[in-house]
Amino acid sequence: MNIRILLVCLVFTLFISCNKDKEILNSLNDYNLSMESSGYRFGDRLNLPKEVTDQAESISISFGDKETSNLVVDPQFFTLGDNAVTFIIKLKNGEILNQDATINVFAKNPEANIAYEIINEYPHDPENFVQGFLTEGNTIYESDGQQGSSRILKYTLGSTEPIAQTPQPAEIFSEGATIIGDKIYQLTWHHKKGYIYNKSDLSLIGEFAYPNVVGEGWGLTYDGKNLILSDGTKNIYFLDPANPSNVVRYISVAGHAEAYDRLNELEYHKGFIYANVWQKPMILKINPANGEVVGKFDFTEIARKHTTNEDDVLNGIAFKGDNMLITGKYWDKIYEVVIK
């Protein structure tokens, strides 16, 4: 066999091999795209195409910092919502192929649509850009946002006149807040730090840094053990109050057929986290153990009375006994609703 014939054979073999690799990757890509909308639930197996498995000696899934060869949706590796992964396929000829993909994981059970009835309306200062909203008895504590006008304040439900207030420096944009004992903890949006106030007179008594993994400060609540923080993503972080820079754990949030991100204002009540979704007239009821949305409130009719643009949206959750109080940015009312 002369050199020319040998080269032709090698080129042909390489061409066939490249085409086979392309077929494998295209088949895997088509499968992954077909599964993005329907998604998986924990315990489901990834039934990869025969064109992939027949050619593979081994298949593993990389999450960046961890890897598994078990093609089952295991909460040890996957979170609810979208998971950015890389498939690593070792072919029987020793060649290794990689392909990036998004695997969506949803909750096993559909979320309930929770009914409610408005039983009271209270005045709210329409100048307040509500970021954090909480109550203790008949006292409302509110974190008011916007650069140049951010502050923490408190007032009596039924009035709009502050009993006490503390302004932030002009560069600060206030975010969520919560009560721990005789203190108020308040987040800032971009400054990677929070403030601690004396609850009685809102005097500033300390600051704290939150973890680098947290992109921004959005919502904040307390479950009696941990600070619970949202950062505008699908993730909710549980922080040690004694050292808020320490992430105890985190959850990702999704319903039965939908992943939820832009989680904003938070409230913890009787074993569940309640969260509003930024710029949507809904509040989610979330299982804090695993991030599953077990129910949701549709406040479209209430929000329609107040929302005229992307700023004046629903953004305030508190509880008065077992009744929910809701308000929004620049709203002139607080609504008390009975949950049915």
Side-chain angles (χ1 to χ4, degrees), residues 22-60:
K22 188 175 180 180
E23 286 177 14
I24 292 170
L25 292 177
N26 283 344
S27 177
L28 179 58
N29 185 60
D30 289 344
Y31 169 77
N32 286 329
L33 290 175
S34 73
M35 290 300 298
E36 277 194 27
S37 58
S38 59
Y40 299 88
R41 276 79 190 173
F42 288 127
D44 288 352
R45 174 168 288 278
L46 278 69
N47 296 312
L48 302 185
K50 198 169 184 296
E51 293 86 347
V52 178
T53 56
D54 281 356
Q55 301 298 321
E57 180 180 303
S58 66
I59 301 171
S60 61

Side-chain angles (χ1 to χ4, degrees), residues 5-21:
I5 295 173
L6 180 60
L7 287 174
V8 169
C9 290
L10 288 173
V11 169
F12 181 74
T13 301
L14 182 61
F15 175 78
I16 294 296
S17 176
C18 288
N19 273 353
K20 192 65 180 176
D21 291 353

Side-chain angles (χ1 to χ4, degrees), residues 212-285:
N212 287 329
V213 68
V214 174
E216 298 175 344
W218 283 46
L220 191 67
T221 190
Y222 179 61
D223 64 0
K225 182 179 180 181
N226 296 127
L227 285 165
I228 303 174
L229 180 150
S230 66
D231 65 350
T233 66
K234 67 171 184 173
N235 295 329
I236 293 177
Y237 300 89
F238 294 72
L239 310 180
D240 179 0
N243 178 16
S245 296
N246 179 35
V247 176
V248 177
R249 66 185 182 96
Y250 78 95
I251 55 173
S252 299
V253 174
H256 183 66
E258 183 178 359
Y260 295 98
D261 61 0
R262 300 198 298 175
L263 301 173
N264 197 8
E265 223 267 305
L266 302 179
E267 183 70 20
Y268 182 87
H269 181 70
K270 291 193 171 180
F272 291 94
I273 298 169
Y274 294 80
N276 84 296
V277 179
W278 170 236
Q279 294 183 332
K280 291 188 177 181
M282 71 169 64
I283 290 175
L284 309 177
K285 182 180 181 181

Side-chain angles (χ1 to χ4, degrees), residues 25 28-29 31-32 40 46-49 52 58-63 67-68 71 78 83-90 96-103:
L25 292 177
L28 179 58
N29 185 60
Y31 169 77
N32 286 329
Y40 299 88
L46 278 69
N47 296 312
L48 302 185
V52 178
S58 66
I59 301 171
S60 61
I61 302 174
S62 170
F63 299 80
E67 188 174 324
T68 180
L71 300 181
F78 292 86
N83 294 261
V85 304
T86 300
F87 283 90
I88 302 170
I89 305 164
K90 183 178 180 182
I96 295 177
L97 304 178
N98 295 316
Q99 186 174 86
D100 295 334
T102 298
I103 294 178

Side-chain angles (χ1 to χ4, degrees), residues 132-339:
F133 184 71
L134 45 149
T135 185
E136 190 172 69
N138 270 338
T139 302
I140 300 290
Y141 296 85
E142 195 168 309
S143 179
D144 183 16
Q146 297 288 33
Q147 285 179 320
S149 60
S150 285
R151 58 180 175 159
I152 188 83
L153 68 150
K154 69 176 182 176
Y155 54 91
T156 302
L157 183 63
S159 169
T160 60
E161 187 66 29
I163 300 168
Q165 60 181 315
T166 299
Q168 259 69 67
E171 71 276 10
I172 294 296
F173 197 119
S174 294
E175 285 283 348
T178 194
I179 300 170
I180 301 182
D182 61 356
K183 299 179 178 66
I184 303 286
Y185 285 66
Q186 181 194 39
L187 298 178
T188 61
W189 186 19
H190 283 152
H191 283 75
K192 303 287 285 186
K193 69 176 181 179
Y195 295 111
I196 305 172
Y197 304 90
N198 187 314
K199 187 174 68 178
S200 63
D201 61 3
L202 299 185
S203 57
L204 182 64
I205 57 175
E207 296 183 2
F208 63 93
Y210 37 88
N212 287 329
V213 68
V214 174
E216 298 175 344
W218 283 46
L220 191 67
T221 190
Y222 179 61
D223 64 0
K225 182 179 180 181
N226 296 127
L227 285 165
I228 303 174
L229 180 150
S230 66
D231 65 350
T233 66
K234 67 171 184 173
N235 295 329
I236 293 177
Y237 300 89
F238 294 72
L239 310 180
D240 179 0
N243 178 16
S245 296
N246 179 35
V247 176
V248 177
R249 66 185 182 96
Y250 78 95
I251 55 173
S252 299
V253 174
H256 183 66
E258 183 178 359
Y260 295 98
D261 61 0
R262 300 198 298 175
L263 301 173
N264 197 8
E265 223 267 305
L266 302 179
E267 183 70 20
Y268 182 87
H269 181 70
K270 291 193 171 180
F272 291 94
I273 298 169
Y274 294 80
N276 84 296
V277 179
W278 170 236
Q279 294 183 332
K280 291 188 177 181
M282 71 169 64
I283 290 175
L284 309 177
K285 182 180 181 181
I286 301 164
N287 183 340
N290 56 19
E292 289 192 6
V293 177
V294 299
K296 60 183 178 181
F297 297 82
D298 182 352
F299 288 115
T300 299
E301 291 305 313
I302 294 176
R304 186 175 288 130
K305 299 174 183 178
H306 303 278
T307 302
T308 60
N309 57 55
E310 63 181 19
D311 286 335
D312 52 2
V313 293
L314 173 71
N315 199 75
I317 313 166
F319 278 87
K320 182 176 180 281
D322 285 330
N323 294 344
M324 182 185 286
L325 298 177
I326 65 165
T327 190
K329 301 175 186 298
Y330 301 140
W331 287 18
D332 63 356
K333 281 186 171 56
I334 296 168
Y335 296 88
E336 180 178 357
V337 303
V338 172
I339 299 170

